[in-house]
């Protein structure tokens, strides 16, 4: 790696919604700082792989599917 171009990678504390504090490596702020999360990663779909609903606003999804229905995907 080139010297002097990468951010400092250090240990920070991450405070979860339930009050639990875990240590993680990050480039955020400085060593020992505490990051407080606004969302709970134990139930958030971004981390749990939960289902996501696709909203068809103004028929755009239907229009797309109709336009490309012959391509087989």
């Amino acid at each position: 790696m080139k010297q002097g171009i990468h951010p400092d990678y250090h240990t920070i504390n991450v405070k979860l919604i339930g009050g639990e504090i875990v240590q993680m490596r990050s480039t955020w702020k400085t060593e020992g700082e505490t990051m407080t999360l606004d969302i709970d990663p134990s139930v958030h779909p971004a981390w749990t792989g939960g289902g996501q609903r696709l909203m068809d606003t103004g028929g755009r999804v239907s229009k797309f599917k109709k336009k490309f229905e012959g391509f087989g995907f």
Side-chain angles (χ1 to χ4, degrees):
M1 286 194 319
K2 270 189 162 179
Q3 297 297 320
I5 63 168
H6 299 284
D8 179 36
Y9 193 58
H10 49 268
T11 303
I12 64 166
N13 299 313
V14 178
K15 185 175 180 183
L16 304 176
I17 297 296
E20 180 184 359
I21 296 177
V22 294
Q23 288 190 334
M24 296 184 180
R25 304 263 303 151
S26 176
T27 58
W28 184 76
K29 290 205 175 185
T30 59
E31 178 85 25
E33 292 279 339
T34 300
M35 175 189 288
T36 304
L37 297 182
D38 295 336
I39 55 175
D40 188 355
S42 66
V43 297
H44 194 278
W47 288 283
T48 61
Q52 180 181 12
R53 287 182 286 179
L54 186 59
M55 294 183 64
D56 190 0
T57 308
R60 288 185 275 171
V61 173
S62 301
K63 186 177 176 182
F64 177 85
K65 286 182 177 181
K66 184 177 179 185
K67 182 176 181 179
F68 296 104
E69 65 188 348
F71 287 98
F73 44 69

